[in-house]
Amino acid sequence: MPELPEVETVRRQLLSAFQGDRIESVQAGNDSLFQNCTAEAFSRRLSGKSLKEISRVGKYLIFDCEDIYPVFHLGMSGIFLQDAGKSHYPQHIHLQFRMASGKALYYQDVRRFGKIWLHHQPPEFKHLGIDPVSGELRLGELRRLLSSRSANIKLFLMDQQSLTDIANIYASEILFEALISPFRKTDTLSGREVLALYSSIKNILYQAIDKFGTTYSAYQTVEGESGQNQNFLRVYQRHGQPCWWCAEPIRKVVLGNRSTFYCPNCQK
DNA sequence: TCTGACCTGCGA
DNA sequence: TCGCAGGTCAGA
């Protein structure tokens, strides 16, 4: 499940492997992934273009291919692979790029929640909030966002209008490290708690990027490897196991239709 | 603001 | 066989 650190890992690995390379041909097989063009048009328009740059806005990956900008959202299970032989689900490979260098790039999406667009100019994402791993998120800005409304803190962290969507695994981990209950309201946090939350957002997300993301189910890096961050999670999927700090069993509840993991003793 | 649908693999 | 996993968005 590619969340923000996984998407950033993918971006860095794609750039490292393919920046400057020219797309010789594209085979696209599944029209349902394409939001504003057909698979055939996607293939035709990208063939012959060079991959100059890849940027990320939230969980969107924007490829700069000269005068055309394919945009990918990986959804729940979208991954890029250099080697189709490392795919665990080759029947779900929907896109295949052949590059002038002789390399190949495959897009696999088991659940097909991913989305692909083709733009003629760099797209804007006005509906997205601040990227939490950019330098744009400062303590004062987080304090302003938290106090501007009275929302559940877990849902706030998963709301892409505020912080470009930190997503489920990391929202639980961030609240655990900050010792803040997932049931709290955003406008009830003390100055000390806001500071703890701010530090925790940075720590947890940068650690996840450093560990090449978290692998559950279908996620693999571009090189076909698993992420390493699942070995460092302290509450996610650990319900019933003792808390890292106090040994109280970790609990699981559903908030906003998503599983939420927390320590009822440490998180106030 | 909340809920359900989309989708497929996996484990109970 | 059924429920769960979860990002996003439309609709209630």
Side-chain angles (χ1 to χ4, degrees), chain A residues 4 7-8 56-61 128-129 131-132 163-165:
Chain A
L4 199 148
V7 177
E8 177 61 19
R56 180 185 60 77
V57 178
K59 294 182 200 160
Y60 294 85
L61 286 171
L128 295 181
D131 190 321
L163 292 175
T164 68
D165 196 348

Side-chain angles (χ1 to χ4, degrees), chain A residues 139-140 142-144 146-147 178 180 184-199:
Chain A
L139 179 59
L142 179 62
R143 186 179 296 122
R144 186 190 66 76
L146 288 165
S147 61
I180 294 170
R184 291 282 296 279
K185 295 283 189 184
T186 50
D187 58 353
T188 68
L189 299 187
S190 67
R192 193 171 181 165
E193 286 172 325
V194 174
L195 179 59
L197 183 66
Y198 178 78
S199 302

